[in-house]
Amino acid sequence: MALIRLEHVTKVYRDRIALSDVSLSFEAGEWVLVAGPSGAGKSTLLRVLALAEKPTSGRVEVDPIAVIEAPSAPAEPASPPPPHRRRVPASLVRRHIGILGQEFRLLPDRNIFENVAISCNIGGIWDRAQIRERINPLLDQMGIRGVEALFPNDLSAGQKQRVALARAMARHPRILLADEPTGNLDPSSAAQIFALLREIRERGTLVVIATHAEEWIRRYPGRVIRVERGLLRSDGPEGAAA
Ligand code: ADP
């Protein structure tokens, strides 16, 4: 079973068709770039994949076992019993999907540790030592160890996005969806984020990135899904991966 499958998905906002009859399937560990001009439907596609938005028609299927019981995730205290393949609520599946946006959406009145820890705090009460054990390797991986006690406003945009990425990865999701993740970054910070996203994919997570910048497709080639006016124009390897 695919990790996520869309079947004939159409999304209409009032009189505007944001997605039109899109069928796609995603497997674990894929590197996928969703490309297209502004207004093409990229964000809508990611919101549908994130189960944050219901299609007007068509189906979205997520393999709940594969998504919730990530084999790479460290054992969680107080984790729920294994879900039955059917009848898993979308709200539970959604919590296991990592999301990264263009805006960093950090809580300004919480320090960096708490901003990342907030994602660990689902499904059970963890003590601070357990959370620290999980978060420290992530902070190391994102190159932001040592800033835990600072607040978002103390950090550069690039650092903030790396905190947001650590938060998105705190539950070791099998799926990471990134919508224009470098939209607010300078070129060097943007390159760092892409390198980190690539590394996350190398460790087995499906990474889907929406971008209107062709530069990233050239630099990080892979499967490219092109959308235009809500229509799926092409889907396949591009660049060096072709
Ligand atoms: P992209 O991410 O490629 O810029 P979007 O998915 O944001 O494209 O938008 C696709 C189309 O759907 C656009 O015409 C946009 O105006 C419309 N749209 C997106 N979200 C909404 C919404 N919440 N309400 C109304 N129209 C929307």
Side-chain angles (χ1 to χ4, degrees):
M1 187 180 180
L3 213 48
I4 321 181
R5 189 196 302 278
L6 303 191
E7 283 176 18
H8 303 291
V9 165
T10 292
K11 180 73 193 180
V12 182
Y13 295 104
R14 281 176 228 102
D15 57 344
R16 201 167 283 229
I17 300 175
L19 285 179
S20 182
D21 195 23
V22 171
S23 295
L24 289 166
S25 169
F26 299 87
E27 306 290 338
E30 275 194 282
W31 173 259
V32 186
L33 293 147
V34 179
S38 178
K42 305 182 295 295
S43 297
T44 306
L45 176 60
L46 260 64
R47 287 199 301 270
V48 167
L49 286 172
L51 308 182
E53 193 110 59
K54 276 208 174 115
T56 310
S57 63
R59 282 160 57 85
V60 183
E61 272 183 41
V62 179
D63 180 345
I65 304 290
V67 170
I68 294 174
E69 295 190 335
S72 61
E76 292 189 6
S79 60
H84 191 270
R85 183 174 287 273
R86 292 175 2 220
R87 308 197 59 77
V88 177
S91 58
L92 177 59
V93 175
R94 208 157 48 216
R95 286 187 220 149
H96 289 266
I97 297 177
I99 306 283
L100 189 68
Q102 177 169 347
E103 313 290 336
F104 319 122
R105 297 194 191 285
L106 303 178
L107 300 172
D109 56 342
R110 301 293 182 92
N111 70 24
I112 300 309
F113 179 85
E114 288 164 339
N115 264 283
V116 179
I118 226 146
S119 306
C120 294
N121 235 340
I122 305 164
I125 314 283
W126 287 31
D127 69 34
R128 216 172 160 80
Q130 281 174 320
I131 293 177
R132 194 172 290 285
E133 213 171 280
R134 171 168 287 207
I135 285 178
N136 282 348
L138 274 171
L139 298 177
D140 282 335
Q141 188 188 350
M142 307 306 167
I144 44 171
R145 187 76 178 271
V147 301
E148 296 94 314
L150 298 180
F151 286 78
N153 281 342
D154 300 325
L155 304 186
S156 68
Q159 285 175 312
K160 283 183 204 168
Q161 191 63 320
R162 283 184 274 146
V163 173
L165 186 52
R167 178 186 57 193
M169 294 307 295
R171 295 175 65 79
H172 297 267
R174 297 285 301 277
I175 302 172
L176 177 66
L177 305 174
D179 191 358
E180 300 280 1
T182 59
N184 284 324
L185 302 181
D186 62 81
S188 128
S189 304
Q192 283 178 342
I193 291 294
F194 259 86
L196 288 169
L197 290 170
R198 190 65 168 206
E199 197 180 301
I200 287 164
R201 177 263 171 149
E202 300 302 331
R203 296 182 184 198
T205 296
L206 161 66
V207 176
V208 183
I209 306 167
T211 180
H212 66 271
E214 293 290 325
E215 181 200 345
W216 298 116
I217 298 170
R218 279 194 303 277
R219 289 176 66 179
Y220 291 95
R223 177 179 172 190
V224 181
I225 293 172
R226 291 191 181 273
V227 287
E228 215 180 295
R229 296 175 190 214
L231 293 165
L232 183 63
R233 288 293 182 206
S234 63
D235 175 12
E238 286 191 28

